[in-house]
Amino acid sequence: MPAEKKSEIASVWARPRRQREQLSREQIVAEAVRLLDADGIEALSMRKLGTRLDAGATSLYRHVANKDELIELVVDEVYGELAVPAATGRADWREAAARSGYSLRAMILRHPWVASVLGQVGLIHLGPNVTKMSRRMAAVYEAAGFPADETEQALSTVISYVIGMATSEAAYLSLIARSGKSEREFAESLGAQGLGGGGGSGAGGAPVEDPEKVREETFDYGLQRVLDGLAVRLGPAGG
């Protein structure tokens, strides 16, 4: 007789949840997010996570098969933090798109590791939060009146801008954190060396704008220019 063919579970999202165990999937994911926020993606391992949870690796593997599945779970977890307002049509699509962009930027700055792992999450294996938020964001551009074949492209253009800028900001903030200085102190030290830095003191020690405000204004300027370009595609009533 032929050997019985074993069924395969394609994704962590299809894996049955284990009930009445001391350690839950939610606890594992929450602690993994805390570990990533504190130490970055390079520090993530099943062994280290098990130590933080005071649990053996065997306990973790009952819920999560490997590190790749864990990454799917943590990405979906932080996507649940996004706030994506609904748009009803051309009159309000731009505000909804901008607010979605601000929310995505804020999420990446809270969890800077997420930008480096987004590409590892397969489209087939997207979790409920990623799926829901992606659909909500796409609905904003559909409501704006973009042709069906441009809706995804418009959304991808905005997301690419946001992720690129937020990743650059996160790297800058990580550099500041390693220096042991505040953002203003770091910017002032660069200004004193004539290197600029987005805030602090200018030439001759003259005070300039708060560096955090400068970052926010720089991000918003680029986002609005991207939306300007998309609004042109919609015609006079689109922006």
Side-chain angles (χ1 to χ4, degrees):
M1 295 179 62
E4 182 180 352
K5 184 178 181 180
K6 295 183 179 179
S7 61
E8 296 182 359
I9 297 177
S11 169
V12 66
W13 304 110
R15 190 181 307 283
R17 289 177 180 268
R18 294 180 176 269
Q19 304 298 325
R20 296 186 295 277
E21 288 195 16
Q22 185 175 0
L23 187 64
S24 69
R25 179 190 288 179
E26 288 75 15
Q27 288 173 303
I28 293 170
V29 173
E31 189 60 37
V33 171
R34 285 190 284 268
L35 169 59
L36 287 162
D37 289 347
D39 299 329
I41 191 67
E42 296 80 7
L44 181 64
S45 71
M46 300 294 278
R47 178 176 295 181
K48 186 170 185 178
L49 183 58
T51 299
R52 288 173 65 108
L53 288 164
D54 194 24
T58 302
S59 297
L60 269 64
Y61 286 124
R62 291 194 185 104
H63 300 273
V64 185
N66 50 47
K67 184 176 175 179
D68 288 341
E69 284 195 355
L70 183 59
I71 288 174
E72 287 186 47
L73 289 166
V74 294
V75 168
D76 193 70
E77 180 74 10
V78 298
Y79 253 78
E81 300 174 8
L82 295 183
V84 181
T88 59
R90 288 198 173 194
D92 60 356
W93 80 271
R94 181 164 176 154
E95 179 181 358
R99 287 172 59 190
S100 299
Y102 303 147
S103 182
L104 178 57
R105 169 184 177 262
M107 184 269 279
I108 293 173
L109 293 183
R110 286 193 298 271
H111 311 291
W113 50 268
V114 74
S116 66
V117 299
L118 286 177
Q120 299 180 32
V121 181
L123 294 177
I124 298 176
H125 297 163
L126 295 181
N129 286 330
V130 174
T131 300
K132 179 175 69 175
M133 293 304 171
S134 297
R135 287 174 177 170
R136 286 181 64 89
M137 285 189 283
V140 170
Y141 295 87
E142 291 168 359
F146 283 98
D149 60 345
E150 285 192 34
T151 297
E152 186 63 32
Q153 291 175 314
L155 172 59
S156 295
T157 297
V158 174
I159 288 179
S160 295
Y161 168 77
V162 174
I163 291 177
M165 286 293 290
T167 301
S168 177
E169 283 188 82
Y172 172 68
L173 293 174
S174 177
L175 174 64
I176 293 173
R178 291 195 299 271
S179 76
K181 299 178 181 179
S182 69
E183 186 173 359
R184 180 176 288 279
E185 289 170 341
F186 189 83
E188 288 174 348
S189 68
L190 292 180
Q193 299 173 52
L195 300 177
S201 298
V208 294
E209 289 186 88
D210 175 68
E212 182 177 357
K213 181 181 178 183
V214 171
R215 282 192 294 106
E216 292 173 350
E217 291 176 345
T218 300
F219 173 83
D220 183 67
Y221 177 87
L223 178 60
Q224 296 303 328
R225 301 297 74 79
V226 172
L227 294 177
D228 283 345
L230 292 177
V232 170
R233 294 290 297 162
L234 293 174

